[in-house]
Amino acid sequence: MKWYKKLILAACIGAAFNPVNINAETLDRIIAVVDSDVVTASQLQERLAMVRRKLRQRSTELPPEDALTKQVLEKLIIESLQLQMGERANIRISEQTLGDTVNRIAQRNNMSLREFQQALAQDGISFEKAREQIRRDLIINRVRKRRVADRIQVTQQEVKNFLQSEQGKYQLSADYRLGHILIAVPESATSSQINKAKKKATAVYQKLKQGANFGQVAVAVSDGQKALEGGDLGWRKANQLPSLFASQVQSMNKGDTSKPIRSPSGFHIIKLIAKRGGQDKLMQTQFKARHILLKPSEIRSEQQTKALADRLYLRLENGEDFTQLAKAFSDDSGSALNGGSLDWVNPSDMVPAFRDKLPEVSVNTISKPFKSRYGWHILQVLDTRQQDMSKLVQENRARIILRNRKYEEELQNWLRQIRAEAYVEIKL
């Protein structure tokens, strides 16, 4: 299936529904009350129709109707809770952000916006509805970032330990395509509930070992976020693997299915659909540079700031000492005391205007004043070098891996928590 179809259909499944106006839909039966919101029969049926369409396009056998309905309704409930959090936090997606996102989707599929609209229409999806589904998905992502990602910290020692471990070396050289089935246990589960889930997971595992189609089983029984996509997590770099899967995939070959893996959220079964790996060294041009930064302020307008930058540039061109002028005038307190020195910098670490200017300035020459979001800069490049960035890249990737591991685990715990704490009344 084309990428845009996957995204829009995933949004239909994974993006939350919009709170409804009860007065405008008085004939629509309420299926579930979710805190201060509701799920209506029309919303459930619309989502079910989208899910059925997607499964048919993937040639996946439809699960029993009651199982499918349960999956979709639970998805709507969880999404409603997150959308309500976004509403309370006054999270808004601007038209520009939404438009940029839609344009990127079209561009990635080598389409113009008009072609993208036509492609959606051919699949029976209105462009306006697709835009709103993407908007809701963006809101949910921002809610998750605030509630989950910002609480995760990775120490330098954790990075060092990871890089020194065999597991870390292995993960940095490979990425995987995994299938995933989750047999969930409720918050504060009893021993009886845990045993029941374990027995179910074992039965599912035996069924898979006997040749059952993994995707069809996932659709029918999995409680995971990708259940309705056959449990397919897609191609993921090692930095996207939850830690409870990491030790398993190292000993798995393509096509292998793991025994049930216990976690706080339940029992997981994973299948290694495919694996690919390898990375090359990264050589990057670094610049030894110094600058003078002038910021507009309450007592110095934008125009006056630019005029001062022009005067300082002329003084430098006439031979005045860069170090002394930086100490006297630069508003970058971090570098001013060192005569404006930034030492060796990577362009990718700098703001766009600075990043783009660095390669344009010859060694031992001074740039004309240019503007970034911080103010007006005068830049001098003192030297360049080719630096092997492999170690730094590995450290950054290791940090991302550890963050994503913690994020995946924390996200599942958080989703279970908000579901357990919510008032939900199902009226099916």
Side-chain angles (χ1 to χ4, degrees), residues 204-215:
V204 169
Y205 171 73
Q206 293 299 330
K207 186 176 181 180
L208 292 169
K209 294 296 288 183
Q210 293 168 8
N213 181 279
F214 191 96

Side-chain angles (χ1 to χ4, degrees), residues 305-323:
T305 303
K306 172 63 165 62
L308 176 58
D310 289 336
R311 291 196 298 273
L312 291 179
Y313 172 72
L314 289 177
R315 290 171 66 175
L316 290 167
E317 286 290 284
N318 290 329
E320 290 196 44
D321 184 66
F322 196 105
T323 298

Side-chain angles (χ1 to χ4, degrees), residues 391-406:
K391 181 178 179 181
L392 179 62
V393 168
Q394 278 200 332
E395 289 182 353
N396 289 338
R397 289 181 178 173
R399 185 170 286 104
I400 293 171
I401 289 171
L402 295 172
R403 282 190 60 83
N404 285 344
R405 281 186 179 182
K406 292 183 178 183

Side-chain angles (χ1 to χ4, degrees), residues 132-362:
E132 285 309 303
Q133 289 163 347
I134 295 170
R135 185 197 299 274
R136 296 165 198 152
D137 206 29
L138 291 172
I139 291 172
I140 287 176
N141 287 337
R142 291 191 181 183
V143 169
R144 290 179 174 184
K145 182 177 180 181
R146 291 188 182 185
R147 295 298 188 96
V148 181
D150 289 347
R151 298 187 300 186
I152 297 172
Q153 300 294 327
V154 177
T155 67
Q156 186 60 35
Q157 187 61 48
E158 287 177 307
V159 172
K160 182 178 179 181
N161 292 342
F162 180 79
L163 289 173
Q164 292 176 345
S165 70
E166 290 301 317
Q167 182 188 66
K169 294 173 184 177
Y170 178 80
Q171 286 190 326
L172 286 171
S173 66
D175 57 7
Y176 309 88
R177 185 179 176 191
L178 296 181
H180 174 235
I181 292 173
L182 169 63
I183 306 301
V185 296
E187 185 82 13
S188 304
T190 65
S191 296
S192 175
Q193 289 173 316
I194 293 173
N195 289 334
K196 182 179 179 181
K198 183 177 181 180
K199 289 180 180 179
K200 182 178 179 180
T202 301
V204 169
Y205 171 73
Q206 293 299 330
K207 186 176 181 180
L208 292 169
K209 294 296 288 183
Q210 293 168 8
N213 181 279
F214 191 96
Q216 292 180 0
V217 173
V219 170
V221 306
S222 179
D223 299 310
Q225 293 291 303
K226 296 291 185 177
L228 296 173
E229 298 175 38
D232 189 351
L233 301 182
W235 278 107
R236 293 193 179 192
K237 289 289 186 183
N239 60 9
Q240 296 173 304
L241 289 177
S243 58
L244 72 164
F245 299 165
S247 60
Q248 293 290 325
V249 296
Q250 291 189 55
S251 59
M252 293 172 66
N253 297 315
K254 180 180 177 181
D256 285 352
T257 300
S258 73
K259 293 181 179 180
I261 308 165
R262 179 74 168 98
S263 83
S265 59
F267 294 88
H268 305 260
I269 300 172
I270 59 173
K271 179 178 180 178
L272 183 55
I273 300 172
K275 181 177 78 174
R276 62 190 180 192
Q279 65 178 21
D280 299 324
K281 287 186 176 181
L282 176 63
M283 301 300 294
Q284 180 172 326
T285 301
Q286 289 186 324
F287 297 82
K288 190 172 186 179
R290 56 186 180 180
H291 81 140
I292 297 171
L293 170 64
L294 302 174
K295 298 180 180 181
S297 65
E298 294 181 356
I299 60 174
R300 187 171 64 199
S301 68
E302 180 78 27
Q303 185 176 0
Q304 290 171 330
T305 303
K306 172 63 165 62
L308 176 58
D310 289 336
R311 291 196 298 273
L312 291 179
Y313 172 72
L314 289 177
R315 290 171 66 175
L316 290 167
E317 286 290 284
N318 290 329
E320 290 196 44
D321 184 66
F322 196 105
T323 298
Q324 296 304 317
L325 289 180
K327 288 181 177 180
F329 291 96
S330 181
D331 294 320
D332 179 5
S333 58
S335 67
L337 293 177
N338 296 319
S341 175
L342 300 172
D343 204 4
W344 291 100
V345 298
N346 301 310
S348 58
D349 295 336
M350 313 304 288
V351 296
F354 209 99
R355 176 198 65 205
D356 297 340
K357 180 62 65 173
L358 278 167
E360 298 177 1
V361 181
S362 301

Side-chain angles (χ1 to χ4, degrees), residues 62-74:
L62 292 174
E65 188 65 18
D66 59 343
L68 183 62
T69 300
K70 179 182 177 182
Q71 288 272 357
V72 172
L73 179 57
E74 188 62 27

Side-chain angles (χ1 to χ4, degrees), residues 33-52:
V33 177
V34 185
D35 280 346
S36 59
D37 205 350
V38 297
V39 179
T40 65
S42 63
Q43 291 166 340
L44 178 60
Q45 291 306 316
E46 181 179 347
R47 188 68 64 89
L48 282 167
M50 287 292 185
V51 171
R52 293 189 192 101

